[in-house]
């Protein structure tokens, strides 16, 4: 009886979304691409939800990774599309007796590396869906996506993969029409399409992608508003959607799309979505997840109605067919083994995160946890305006006067250690130590050298990182860094090891 009532609640919540944007269910469904094989990914995600329903008080977690777009910059944090997804789906999952949550782990001005190496540490080892929205930061470097994908698929919970096209200038594109396909999605260019399709086939993982345009362009055309008609809060690329059906007004939820809740909030820029753009992303994605929830509920009702009642679907059994060793990967050709296939232990001082931090490893208390230089002004603005952004690029800072910086690494095997600074924005400050030339590295008391070949690769992939190799007994060891110059500061935000 409870599950049947839940179906009614889900139908009601879906209808609210359709009414909000004056859409049909078929139109709303076109915003998500589930890959080939007849929507196999959709069935897999629905079955995953089913295991949470069958558990009685199970849980279902989504995590979003990416750049400032999904971090909500330019709007308030609670207006970001991941939080819209959480607030929209909370009610229907609660009705199904499933604990639902969203982790917005997006980080402004962050590249795919070293972030991707720390995927499990940042989003948690128990996520059911992990989303990618690095499109702008990966411009011209689509192959970075494969490194992200490999690390995401290595998460212990074997999550579903979601590609998001979240930045504002991709809201609507009238250049093409028809049903959504991977070719329609900016997040999936030709290279990424090959990667996504290949990994879905090889690993058995559900891979899907979201873009609002295929839904909206069936009903609306996009126009730019002249200066004389603009209200407060608009930007130079201020846009409006107009109904293609003569005489039908544009719904309130789609008017003044480029208006912000408050003019002057940190991060307002042409590529950052305004609140109503975040809302349409979050609502349309939620609509499609409600479809999968309904399918799961219907399967559970059918199971409970059978006689005798069969055992519930088991999550571990469901995931047995997914593999994580990628034996026949055909890509990764643009990145070395180190960047694509290697699994690392990771510790970072970036926040938010779910796993351990550098604070758990650091041995020298003279080095203090501080914001990265490029973040100081931004965080002051966050406090002043009360935007609520969660992303913080913390680092451990010290100098030669503070002595060596030491971290205790656990479960070490012979291999590589990667040490990374925080990102510094457009330009690295002159008073910051260069990891590659102004620091000596030791494993315990044994001096180790940088790996030159990996150093060259790092410059094009993770330019704020260096790699050292070592050969030592398996177990716990100290990573020691000794600054060799005076008058400069050492910043460390990531430590990764085999």
């Amino acid at each position: 009886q409870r599950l049947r009532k839940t179906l009614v609640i889900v139908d009601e919540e879906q209808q609210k979304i359709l009414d909000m944007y004056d859409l049909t269910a078929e139109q709303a469904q076109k915003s998500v691409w589930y890959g080939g094989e007849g929507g196999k990914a959709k069935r897999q995600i629905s079955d995953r939800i089913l295991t949470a329903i069958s558990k009685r008080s199970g849980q279902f977690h989504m995590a979003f990774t990416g750049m400032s777009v999904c971090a909500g910059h330019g709007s308030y944090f609670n207006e970001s599309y991941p939080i819209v997804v959480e607030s929209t789906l909370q009610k229907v999952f609660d009705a199904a007796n499933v604990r639902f949550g969203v982790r917005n782990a997006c980080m402004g001005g962050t590249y795919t590396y070293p972030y991707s190496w720390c995927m499990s540490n940042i989003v948690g080892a128990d996520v059911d869906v992990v989303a990618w929205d690095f499109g702008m930061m990966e411009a011209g470097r689509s192959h970075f996506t494969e490194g992200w994908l490999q690390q995401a698929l290595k998460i212990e919970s074997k999550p579903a993969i979601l590609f998001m096209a979240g930045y504002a200038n991709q809201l609507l594109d009238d250049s093409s029409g028809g049903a959504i396909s991977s070719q329609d999605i900016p997040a999936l260019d030709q290279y990424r399409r090959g990667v996504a399709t290949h990994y879905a086939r090889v690993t058995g993982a559900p891979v899907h992608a979201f873009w609002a345009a295929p839904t909206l362009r069936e009903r609306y055309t996009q126009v730019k508003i002249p200066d004389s008609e603009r209200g407060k809060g608009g930007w130079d690329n201020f846009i409006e959607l107009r109904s293609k059906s003569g005489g039908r007004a544009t719904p309130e939820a789609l008017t003044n799309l480029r208006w912000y809740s408050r003019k002057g909030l940190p991060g307002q820029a042409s590529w950052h979505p305004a609140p109503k753009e975040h809302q349409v992303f979050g609502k349309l994605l939620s609509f499609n997840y409600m479809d999968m929830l309904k399918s799961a509920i219907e399967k559970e009702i059918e199971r409970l109605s059978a006689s005798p009642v069969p055992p519930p679907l088991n999550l571990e059994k469901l995931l047995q067919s997914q593999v994580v060793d990628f034996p026949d990967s055909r890509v990764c050709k643009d990145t070395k083994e180190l960047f694509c296939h290697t699994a690392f232990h990771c510790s970072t001082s970036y926040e938010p995160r779910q796993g351990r931090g550098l604070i758990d490893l650091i041995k020298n208390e003279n080095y203090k946890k501080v914001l990265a230089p490029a973040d100081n002004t931004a965080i002051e603005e966050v406090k002043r305006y009360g935007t609520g952004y969660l992303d913080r690029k913390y680092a451990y800072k010290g100098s030669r006067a503070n002595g060596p910086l030491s971290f205790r690494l656990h479960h070490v095997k012979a291999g590589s250690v990667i040490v990374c600074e925080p990102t510094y924005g457009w330009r690295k400050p002159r008073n910051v130590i260069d990891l590659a030339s102004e620091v000596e590295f030791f494993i315990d008391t044994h001096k180790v050298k940088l790996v030159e070949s990996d150093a060259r690769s790092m410059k094009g992939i993770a330019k704020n990182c260096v790699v050292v190799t070592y050969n030592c007994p398996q177990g716990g060891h100290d990573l020691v860094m000794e600054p060799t110059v005076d008058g400069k500061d050492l910043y460390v935000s990531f430590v990764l090891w085999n």
Side-chain angles (χ1 to χ4, degrees), residues 420-490:
C420 305
E421 304 168 273
T423 53
Y424 294 113
W426 298 113
R427 183 176 299 175
K428 183 174 179 175
R430 292 184 177 181
N431 65 337
V432 172
I433 283 175
D434 179 56
L435 283 178
S437 62
E438 297 175 333
V439 178
E440 291 184 338
F441 292 86
F442 298 82
I443 297 295
D444 299 324
T445 60
H446 304 287
K447 187 175 180 179
V448 291
K449 294 183 178 181
L450 301 183
V451 182
E452 289 298 325
S453 60
D454 287 333
R456 288 191 295 272
S457 297
M458 281 289 183
K459 288 182 180 179
I461 295 176
K463 61 183 178 181
N464 289 349
C465 301
V466 295
V467 186
V468 298
T469 58
Y470 52 87
N471 192 353
C472 53
Q474 185 171 337
H477 294 277
D478 290 341
L479 169 66
V480 182
M481 288 168 272
E482 292 189 3
T484 60
V485 295
D486 296 315
K488 289 186 174 183
D489 294 318
L490 173 63

Side-chain angles (χ1 to χ4, degrees), residues 127-149:
V127 292
D128 297 283
V129 179
V130 61
W132 170 101
D133 195 352
F134 282 99
M136 217 171 104
M137 300 303 290
E138 288 188 5
R141 293 169 289 193
S142 301
H143 55 275
F144 283 12
T145 305
E146 185 183 9
W148 178 92
L149 184 56

Side-chain angles (χ1 to χ4, degrees), residues 250-298:
T250 301
E252 191 278 333
L254 293 175
T255 60
N256 300 327
L257 275 174
R258 294 295 291 154
W259 287 19
Y260 288 94
S261 299
R262 180 179 176 184
K263 193 172 182 179
L265 293 184
Q268 289 183 353
S270 61
W271 57 88
H272 285 159
K276 285 187 178 180
E277 293 171 306
H278 278 291
Q279 185 181 64
V280 73
F281 300 155
K283 291 293 185 182
L284 288 177
L285 182 61
S286 297
F287 182 94
N288 284 275
Y289 268 77
M290 288 183 197
D291 273 348
M292 290 183 274
L293 174 61
K294 282 198 302 186
S295 177
I297 291 171
E298 289 165 354

